[in-house]
Amino acid sequence: MNAVLKSIVHQARVALLPAEARAVLRDRLTYLSPEKLTRLTGAVHEVAKRGIPGDLLEFGVALGGSSVLLARHATNERQFHGFDVFARIPEPTSAKDDAKSKERYQVIAAGESPGIGGDPYYGYRTDLYEQVCATFARYGRPVDEKRIFLHRGLFEETWPGYTRASVAFAHLDCDWYDPVRFCLNAVLPRLSPGATLILDDYHDYGGCRTAVDEFLQENSGAFAVDDGANLRLRFTAGS
């Protein structure tokens, strides 16, 4: 596909997005493609429409763009919880992470990763948490710790503080084998029947793909798999 055709396809996909998702792209708040955003917003809307009980989670908040779209469906009963270090992401250290993952991290660690549209890369910002909180407020969803919560730190350190009983939706955008595997194992016991998981990096990084494939093999028959730009898993066990 040549550059002109790619641009036309991209603009067409952007035009089909909900207005708020288009605003998130315009404001340079997400690395997700229009196709991934379409699948993400469609999936969380379906969960809310079907009344699947439980909270909405995101592991890997980054600039907060996808988070504010998910948090649109938060209520006092159905909370949104975002988990992130709000700093430079940790290094991929598993032998199951591929060369692409480790090369990508080396670019980040060297301070050479570009941001979106010429902006500074989010992992280099010293006030990222405060910027994300400001983004939530600007979109009319303040981090009030009633409906919307942000947890700052490594997943394995902050997850024990999440004591809610059930999860309806989780977006895993955390790149490498270890964090993806940790998050899958953490949310599994709390998934409501019909809950949805979205794996952003399944087709991007080998460690993520391996973690997901292992998880599905170990929980054979528990999930319906919908492949696409970002992998979608629907929890069917107990349905």
Side-chain angles (χ1 to χ4, degrees):
M1 188 182 296
N2 62 41
V4 173
L5 184 54
K6 282 184 178 179
S7 177
I8 292 171
V9 171
H10 175 82
Q11 293 305 320
R13 286 175 172 163
V14 170
L16 292 174
L17 286 169
E20 196 167 61
R22 295 198 302 272
V24 161
L25 284 174
R26 180 199 65 217
D27 293 342
R28 302 188 298 279
L29 295 173
T30 183
Y31 286 82
L32 299 186
S33 66
E35 187 176 1
K36 285 185 174 183
L37 282 175
T38 296
R39 287 173 61 84
L40 182 74
T41 56
V44 73
H45 176 76
E46 180 182 335
V47 162
K49 183 178 179 180
R50 293 175 59 203
I52 305 298
D55 290 339
L56 313 171
L57 312 183
E58 183 167 60
F59 296 93
V61 173
L63 291 163
S66 53
S67 294
V68 297
L69 299 177
L70 299 179
R72 177 182 184 182
H73 300 278
T75 66
N76 288 337
E77 292 74 34
R78 186 196 297 284
Q79 298 173 353
F80 171 83
H81 290 259
F83 298 82
D84 202 296
V85 292
F86 294 100
R88 194 173 77 189
I89 63 174
E91 183 177 4
T93 57
S94 172
K96 296 181 181 181
D97 284 307
D98 61 356
K100 178 182 176 182
S101 302
K102 295 175 182 180
E103 289 166 5
R104 170 63 182 147
Y105 182 79
Q106 290 306 313
V107 172
I108 294 171
E112 297 174 355
S113 182
I116 302 172
D119 290 344
Y121 177 63
Y122 74 91
Y124 303 151
R125 305 183 191 192
T126 58
D127 59 346
L128 181 60
Y129 177 82
E130 290 76 15
Q131 288 186 23
V132 171
C133 287
T135 293
F136 271 87
R138 190 167 70 252
Y139 276 78
R141 281 150 217 158
V143 181
D144 56 6
E145 299 193 347
K146 295 178 181 178
R147 297 180 305 115
I148 296 172
F149 298 75
L150 294 178
H151 305 267
R152 177 162 47 173
L154 297 171
F155 300 146
E156 58 268 30
E157 295 173 355
T158 57
W159 179 252
Y162 176 76
T163 58
R164 304 273 288 174
S166 59
V167 172
F169 185 95
H171 181 215
L172 281 67
D173 188 0
C174 41
D175 303 345
W176 323 135
Y177 176 85
D178 285 332
V180 171
R181 192 62 205 257
F182 175 85
C183 294
L184 288 169
N185 290 338
V187 300
L188 178 61
R190 306 194 199 188
L191 293 178
S192 297
T196 292
L197 305 178
I198 298 285
L199 283 302
D200 178 68
D201 300 299
Y202 183 77
H203 293 296
D204 299 315
Y205 296 115
C208 175
R209 188 182 190 101
T210 298
V212 175
D213 289 348
E214 290 177 351
F215 177 77
L216 289 175
Q217 184 175 12
E218 292 165 10
N219 296 281
S220 179
F223 292 89
V225 179
D226 173 19
D227 201 359
N230 39 11
L231 189 71
R232 176 178 173 176
L233 307 179
R234 185 170 62 84
F235 186 55
T236 56
S239 297

